[in-house]
Amino acid sequence: MADVRGRMADARGRDRAQLFLVGALAVAVLFVSLALLLNTAIYTENLATRNTASDATHAHELRESTNASVAGVVGYANYRENESYDTLWTAVATGVRDVSDGAAVHGAVRGRPVEVSLDSVENGTRITHDVEGPFVDASATPRGSWTVVDGAAGSRDIRLDVSTTNLADGSGLTTVSDYRQSDLFHLDLAESSGSTYEVFVYGDGADTVSVRVIEDDGTPDFVGSTCSATAGADGHVLVSVSRASVDDTACPALSFAEGLGQHDVEMQNATVAGSTQIQGTYELFVDQDVTTVETTAGPYYDETATSQSPYATPAVYTADVALDYRTAALTYDTRVTVDPEAHPRRYGIGRQSWRLSLAGGGGGGGGGDGGGGGNAAPTGSVSISDVTDEGGNRYDIETSWSASDTDGSVASVEVILRDPDGGAVETKSPPLGSSPVTFQDVKITGKNAGAPWTVELVVYDDQGGSTTITHTEDLP
Amino acid sequence: MTRGIPGQFRPLHRDSRAVSTALGYVLGLTISALLISVMLYGVGGFVEDQREQVVREELTVVGQQLASDLTATDRLARGSPDDTTAIRIESRLPAQIANTGYSIAIEDDPGSAYRLVLRTENPDVVVTVGFTAETVVDERTVSGGGLVIEYGTGATPTDLEVSNA
């Protein structure tokens, strides 16, 4: 027979190999698609690390910083540009434009346009009693119980800087009727449709000031518990009704002041039968036009009278600004209602100065004296040599100064002019030896006229030490 | 008939009794075909499995991204307590996941909780991502891709509205 085995064996081998080839190709294609899938998985992991919500966080921060900046502008305008509502509006509008320019530069660096513009301003009144004395009104025979504001839509920043001298004592009192029948001073906030809140401020032992709140909604009741604080070296305690604090302690009983409806503000028993129950200084802002305040309440001293208290001046109660913020993925248009109460106070009674906050509760002036040991601080002197009247309540104030250092040399000096409130009106950094220095066109009006102005000289030596010398004088 | 000396053994490999070349051929083919197809089926199944897992993971990630954008918009809306606030956030999500389109449905849960339900058709995967928002979010279904979240504009200014870009 013919030998066919050999060829058949060959054929079988080839067929099997082809099958394996096709199968391997198919498996290879599957593995390639698996690789593509794994690619997608890697992309997913990358997608998971992207943070798209950071734009919204920036928008939030921008909103808060705009609120703080414009609150600062409003604070400045209320103490420096408060001749009339027109000058206030101009000052706030200019300030907001500056805030917008500054924010726009910061935003442009990151490719995010920002715009802030002033929408509207709520006119109000600032009522100030800044001469230490009893909390009486400005009538010919001063009254101890009088209306501060009649029917104000709102009030904010109510601060009483209470002295421990002549403060009526109320340490033994316990019940509501005890308080109400006593002669203790109380500040009343009477809602037109609601309750009346009586804030009793009295002495409680030596050098201690206590605050108690009674709410009268038909039946008088205590609100919270007594808040007390001991007066420091200056003999005063700051009772801040709006920030609900007595000096540095929180006082929850005072937090009723948030969200009051239309209300009257009255002072009761500031003096009783000629004897003072409370004295010190105070300040508050109310949401009512200054002419209305002066006709329906008070009486107040005319603002142009020289250094008398209490008086009422035009003020900005609150302002609305429009904020525009854009990034690649976010568009944010909103209106911010500025809340000056929520930000640090830089002017007026109970202000926080830069030096106190930096030195952490040290002395008021000269926080930063003498960096290293062994360096003698520099010395100097400053005085007001000449005051020239330029007309229109503007004056040129010439100050002469000198500075020297015993163990080195003077690096630089700063001459700062401060108004009676303590705020810096102008700061000059004259070159050494260029005494005298003149502050041009300083506006002195109203209560600042005839009041003590301060010229401050800060001398820096070349080893990091510094000295502050002040000179106070009544101007003009 | 084999020839040989009776009583002597023949080596097995030269013994071709009871062997048919056609049967051997078919057997060989069948066995290797079975082997290959089982291997293909196994690997194919593995790839399909992986695909579903990748799609599920990516849907979860996309859902979490959208949820974080929604909660960020909600926080911004709550921090701007004014009727004139207008917020618009673009959420750039991938248009396709593992080469399939997907859809996102926003559903309301009791309280201030919401659910995002993300679906693909092929493979059939459903992923749920929950989030909370104080502002009301409109219930609707959108297809995957670039989305826009709006507040203060549109039909209901007090609601967060999600729509396709």
Side-chain angles (χ1 to χ4, degrees), chain A residues 15 44 52 329 331-334, chain B residues 25 58 69 79-80 85-86 88 90:
Chain A
D15 284 337
T44 307
T52 55
T331 306
Y332 182 49
D333 292 321
T334 187
Chain B
Y25 184 60
E58 190 157 352
D69 281 342
S80 319
T85 303
R88 184 178 192 275
E90 284 176 18

Side-chain angles (χ1 to χ4, degrees), chain B residues 34 141 144:
Chain B
L34 219 72
T141 310

Side-chain angles (χ1 to χ4, degrees), chain B residues 40-164:
Chain B
L40 272 177
Y41 179 74
V43 176
F46 173 68
V47 169
E48 196 51 46
D49 219 23
Q50 280 299 99
R51 185 158 189 244
E52 191 177 310
Q53 197 163 323
V54 163
V55 164
R56 193 177 294 277
E57 263 176 39
E58 190 157 352
L59 276 181
T60 312
V61 167
V62 165
Q64 299 281 6
Q65 295 260 314
L66 182 60
S68 96
D69 281 342
L70 280 166
T71 47
T73 318
D74 170 52
R75 257 181 284 129
L76 199 52
R78 272 187 286 141
S80 319
D82 200 283
D83 290 334
T84 58
T85 303
I87 305 171
R88 184 178 192 275
I89 289 187
E90 284 176 18
S91 192
R92 273 163 282 173
L93 303 172
Q96 284 194 324
I97 292 191
N99 280 327
T100 51
Y102 61 104
S103 71
I104 307 171
I106 305 168
E107 288 165 25
D108 205 349
D109 265 349
S112 51
Y114 291 88
R115 243 182 311 138
L116 284 174
V117 182
L118 300 103
R119 279 193 184 85
T120 56
E121 289 304 308
N122 175 29
D124 191 9
V125 179
V126 176
V127 167
T128 309
V129 174
F131 68 97
T132 51
E134 297 291 333
T135 330
V136 175
V137 183
D138 275 358
E139 287 191 333
R140 57 178 64 180
T141 310
V142 290
S143 62
L147 293 178
V148 169
I149 305 167
E150 282 176 316
Y151 172 82
T153 50
T156 348
T158 52
D159 287 2
L160 288 179
E161 289 170 18
V162 181
S163 51
N164 286 109

Side-chain angles (χ1 to χ4, degrees), chain A residues 5 8 11-12 15-16 19-20 23-24 26-27 30-31 33-34 37-38 40-41 43-45 47-53 56-57 59-60 63-64 328-335 337, chain B residues 14 16 21 24-25 28-29 32-33 35-36 39-40 43-44 46-47 50-51 54 57-58 61-62 65 68-69 72-73 75-76 79-82 84-90 92 94 98:
Chain A
R5 267 174 300 155
M8 284 309 282
R12 273 205 296 273
D15 284 337
R16 279 202 293 271
L19 207 52
F20 274 113
V27 172
L30 278 172
F31 277 132
S33 62
L34 186 68
L37 268 180
L38 290 178
T40 312
Y43 172 69
T44 307
E45 297 290 321
L47 195 64
T49 61
R50 290 187 205 162
N51 180 12
T52 55
T57 315
H60 226 299
R63 187 200 167 84
E64 295 308 312
L330 167 71
T331 306
Y332 182 49
D333 292 321
T334 187
R335 184 185 294 145
T337 303
Chain B
R14 268 197 237 143
S16 54
T21 50
Y25 184 60
L29 265 179
S32 38
L35 189 73
I36 304 278
M39 195 159 49
L40 272 177
V43 176
F46 173 68
V47 169
Q50 280 299 99
R51 185 158 189 244
V54 163
E57 263 176 39
E58 190 157 352
V61 167
V62 165
Q65 295 260 314
S68 96
D69 281 342
T73 318
R75 257 181 284 129
L76 199 52
S80 319
D82 200 283
T84 58
T85 303
I87 305 171
R88 184 178 192 275
I89 289 187
E90 284 176 18
R92 273 163 282 173

Side-chain angles (χ1 to χ4, degrees), chain A residues 140-268:
Chain A
T141 41
R143 298 173 299 161
S145 302
W146 56 291
T147 310
V148 180
V149 182
D150 190 7
S155 64
R156 67 170 170 89
D157 273 327
I158 303 174
R159 291 151 281 141
L160 313 168
D161 199 20
V162 178
S163 165
T164 47
T165 328
N166 286 335
L167 185 60
D169 191 87
S171 23
L173 303 178
T174 42
T175 65
V176 172
S177 43
D178 279 348
Y179 278 92
R180 297 180 104 224
Q181 283 159 13
S182 69
D183 282 341
L184 298 177
F185 164 81
H186 51 107
L187 174 74
D188 290 352
L189 280 82
E191 280 185 305
S192 314
S193 51
S195 331
T196 301
Y197 293 90
E198 299 169 8
V199 180
F200 284 83
V201 183
Y202 55 94
D204 203 350
D207 279 348
T208 308
V209 175
S210 287
V211 174
R212 204 81 212 261
V213 180
I214 291 174
E215 179 185 353
D216 187 1
D217 54 356
T219 42
D221 273 319
F222 283 124
V223 175
S225 54
T226 317
C227 307
S228 304
T230 315
D234 59 355
H236 284 76
V237 166
L238 183 70
V239 177
S240 178
V241 174
S242 301
R243 285 177 205 226
S245 68
V246 176
D247 257 353
D248 288 330
T249 343
C251 187
L254 289 173
S255 52
F256 70 85
E258 284 174 53
L260 280 180
Q262 187 182 52
H263 59 274
D264 299 340
V265 180
E266 290 167 22
M267 296 215 172
Q268 307 281 356

Side-chain angles (χ1 to χ4, degrees), chain A residues 260-291:
Chain A
L260 280 180
Q262 187 182 52
H263 59 274
D264 299 340
V265 180
E266 290 167 22
M267 296 215 172
Q268 307 281 356
N269 298 340
T271 58
V272 172
S275 75
T276 310
Q277 303 291 91
I278 189 168
Q279 71 183 48
T281 55
Y282 64 80
E283 195 170 47
L284 62 146
F285 286 84
V286 292
D287 191 2
Q288 197 176 67
D289 196 279
V290 69
T291 40

